[in-house]
Amino acid sequence: MFKTFIVLLSLIVCLSSTALAQIKEAQVGNVVSIRSDFDYQDPKELALYEAQKAKQKVDKNNGIDEDEDVVEPEDLFRVYLTRDRFYNSKNKYRENITFSITSHNMDRNYILDGDCPPYLEIVDNEGKKSTLNFSNMKFDNLYWISFSLTKKEIHQLQNIKEAKLILPETMENMFVRNEKKDKIEKRKFNDDIKVEMISYDIPVEILQEWKQVLSADLTRK
């Protein structure tokens, strides 16, 4: 068993709804797809970035030019809800719905591993609280973990009102230099690594996107 310390740090995201609207649709051959992309940035860093951009705009209007570039904060992680429909020659189909989390942020030591998986704490439309533990892992590596959703999990997302993503993270530095390859690589997770479970609020706009993905008409054109 991995060593886990539960630390629920609810981080509130303050992003405009237009920035969150990242639903993408595509049809390639016999496959029709729809996906919600959610890029999570640190709220404090994002607020500072937006304040600096606003100041630059005011200064420019007042004739003050600054050469300093304002750098947008890097995503902490990204969440994808993807629904793929595969048609055959008789126009019958099968569907696959996946929930994925990825992060390449080297300032955060997230664990994306099937032996220490993330999960959702949710409140449904009736106000009932529950935990959504993804039961069918599809794929994982050091930077990405993906789950194929069961019918029960799909139903939970369809009736979701509030949600927190619980992500495992270690305080140890997981990024080390590989001298032979002369590059930075991420260490693999093992049971001796102490893990904290960090809680991130999922914006209501994203929950609505998820419902839209699950209810969209994926008829082949």
Side-chain angles (χ1 to χ4, degrees):
M1 293 294 291
F2 56 84
K3 300 175 183 178
T4 305
F5 294 89
I6 304 299
V7 178
L8 298 182
L9 305 177
S10 297
L11 305 179
I12 301 174
V13 181
C14 300
L15 301 176
S16 64
S17 58
T18 54
L20 296 169
Q22 300 183 53
I23 288 184
K24 300 176 182 178
E25 300 181 58
Q27 179 173 326
V28 179
N30 293 327
V31 182
V32 183
S33 301
I34 185 170
R35 184 179 74 193
S36 167
D37 295 358
F38 171 37
D39 302 341
Y40 188 102
Q41 296 169 303
D42 183 278
K44 293 181 180 179
E45 292 181 1
L46 185 61
L48 178 60
Y49 165 76
E50 292 176 341
Q52 291 173 331
K53 291 290 289 186
K55 182 178 181 300
Q56 272 192 345
K57 184 176 181 180
V58 171
D59 289 344
K60 186 176 181 180
N61 291 338
N62 291 332
I64 303 173
D65 290 328
E66 294 185 1
D67 295 331
E68 182 180 357
D69 291 331
V70 178
V71 180
E72 185 174 357
E74 183 181 356
D75 297 332
L76 296 187
F77 56 84
R78 296 178 180 177
V79 178
Y80 303 101
L81 179 64
T82 307
R83 181 172 160 225
D84 297 311
R85 180 175 288 186
F86 303 87
Y87 284 89
N88 62 20
S89 58
K90 297 181 180 180
N91 213 37
K92 294 184 179 180
Y93 62 84
R94 61 180 177 85
E95 278 197 0
N96 188 28
I97 301 176
T98 58
F99 187 92
S100 307
I101 303 165
T102 181
S103 177
H104 287 80
N105 191 317
M106 296 178 65
D107 292 327
R108 303 305 297 258
N109 296 295
Y110 295 122
I111 304 298
L112 301 175
D113 191 286
D115 290 332
C116 184
Y119 58 91
L120 292 175
E121 290 183 344
I122 63 177
V123 178
D124 65 19
N125 291 326
E126 288 72 44
K128 182 180 177 181
K129 296 181 180 180
S130 62
T131 299
L132 197 165
N133 292 302
F134 302 103
S135 59
N136 187 10
M137 194 186 74
K138 182 179 181 181
F139 173 81
D140 71 337
N141 63 25
L142 298 175
Y143 302 94
W144 183 290
I145 191 165
S146 184
F147 304 91
S148 293
L149 298 187
T150 65
K151 290 183 178 180
K152 178 182 178 181
E153 292 163 356
I154 292 169
H155 179 73
Q156 286 178 286
L157 292 182
Q158 288 172 329
N159 292 278
I160 201 168
K161 182 180 180 181
E162 300 174 12
K164 297 178 184 293
L165 175 65
I166 313 301
L167 265 182
E169 183 174 12
T170 176
M171 297 300 103
E172 299 180 28
N173 182 17
M174 297 297 290
F175 295 91
V176 296
R177 173 167 291 280
N178 185 320
E179 298 297 343
K180 291 183 178 180
K181 297 181 180 180
D182 192 28
K183 67 177 184 179
I184 301 295
E185 293 183 339
K186 192 175 183 181
R187 295 161 49 202
K188 292 184 179 180
F189 170 75
N190 63 64
D191 289 348
D192 293 326
I193 294 176
K194 295 180 180 180
V195 173
E196 296 181 353
M197 308 303 287
I198 313 298
S199 173
Y200 298 91
D201 286 350
I202 304 297
V204 174
E205 292 88 346
I206 292 300
L207 302 182
Q208 294 303 316
E209 283 191 6
W210 292 355
K211 292 179 182 181
Q212 185 176 338
V213 167
L214 296 174
S215 63
D217 181 6
L218 296 188
T219 302
R220 182 171 59 175
K221 296 179 177 61

